[in-house]
Amino acid sequence: MQFLIKHTWDSDPVNHDPIRISFSPGEGGLKIEVSGPFFNNPAAPPGPPGQPFPGLWDYEVVESFFLDNSTENYLEVELCPHGQHLILLLSGAGQAFMQQLPLVFKATIAGDRWMGEALLPWSYFPPNINKMNSYAIHGSGEERTYEALYPIPKQEIVEGQKPNFHRLEYFQDFHLQSIMGEGWVQPESDLWKKTPYDI
């Protein structure tokens, strides 16, 4: 299953070859493959490749979010062309209760292109995933560019609005069974048995 990020967060077309994200079955999880232009802007995060890096969203990064919209529990995955990554588990829009989880992720830069491959363990996914969105960010200062697979429609943008990737109402339908097979049942996860926001 492959997706192309063809628009900015506010529905303008991107001015470059779009970032490609594909999902496929992996050993014990979901395999994510990313490929696209390497902007090399900003510079690489000051952390080792293959390790979590807090605040990775301030760098060049591709992100995917997997949501159960009945509970607003969701998984955020950030992948950087320089090899750093960041996993966040969230309950409620922007409300992370766990982050910097380990991830098997390898990125390769070749000239002005990069590609990356990660394996997301099933334990990171909340139950009943039914929505998804993906994003790409690059550039610095006034040239900072925020792109979205499912952007906010032009007619719904208000003056002065800033990009916000946690606008869950714009996520679109997505079911893991469409990748894993209709009979597939998502394994239970101890990480999601009880979130800090449960009463």
Side-chain angles (χ1 to χ4, degrees):
M1 181 178 287
Q2 180 173 270
F3 299 91
L4 302 178
I5 301 180
K6 296 180 178 180
H7 295 90
T8 61
W9 71 274
D10 54 356
S11 292
D12 286 333
V14 300
N15 60 0
H16 56 80
D17 185 39
I19 295 281
R20 296 169 185 267
I21 303 174
S22 66
F23 304 120
S24 58
E27 188 64 41
L30 184 71
K31 185 165 78 169
I32 300 183
E33 294 172 279
V34 178
S35 65
F38 173 55
F39 297 94
N40 200 22
N41 185 8
Q51 296 297 314
F53 187 85
L56 192 60
W57 52 81
D58 289 329
Y59 294 85
E60 183 172 345
V61 71
V62 174
E63 308 180 354
S64 286
F65 293 59
F66 303 90
L67 167 71
D68 169 9
N69 75 335
S70 68
T71 60
E72 292 196 348
N73 289 335
Y74 60 109
L75 164 65
E76 177 178 345
V77 183
E78 303 189 14
L79 305 175
C80 176
H82 300 283
Q84 297 82 1
H85 56 78
L86 185 62
I87 300 285
L88 300 97
L89 309 187
L90 303 99
S91 187
Q95 301 295 312
F97 66 89
M98 195 176 296
Q99 58 179 299
Q100 297 185 54
L101 294 165
L103 183 69
V104 176
F105 172 55
K106 181 173 175 52
T108 306
I109 297 168
D112 62 355
R113 307 279 302 175
W114 78 282
M115 57 188 308
E117 183 177 311
L119 180 64
L120 275 176
W122 293 126
S123 60
Y124 292 1
F125 288 84
N128 308 311
I129 292 291
N130 61 0
K131 300 281 183 179
M132 184 273 287
N133 207 348
S134 291
Y135 305 95
I137 317 173
H138 63 269
S140 302
E142 291 296 314
E143 299 302 311
R144 190 77 168 149
T145 301
Y146 301 85
E147 301 170 356
L149 176 62
Y150 302 121
I152 300 177
K154 278 286 181 200
Q155 65 272 20
E156 298 181 28
I157 302 289
V158 297
E159 188 174 350
Q161 188 169 343
K162 302 290 187 189
N164 177 359
F165 291 173
H166 298 271
R167 295 289 299 273
L168 306 182
E169 66 271 30
Y170 294 107
F171 288 29
Q172 297 292 320
D173 289 347
F174 176 85
H175 297 278
L176 291 166
Q177 284 78 7
S178 60
I179 299 166
M180 304 302 299
E182 286 306 315
W184 180 81
V185 177
Q186 182 179 335
E188 284 196 21
S189 166
D190 289 339
L191 297 176
W192 289 96
K193 285 286 174 65
K194 188 173 182 65
T195 74
Y197 307 103
D198 290 338
I199 297 174

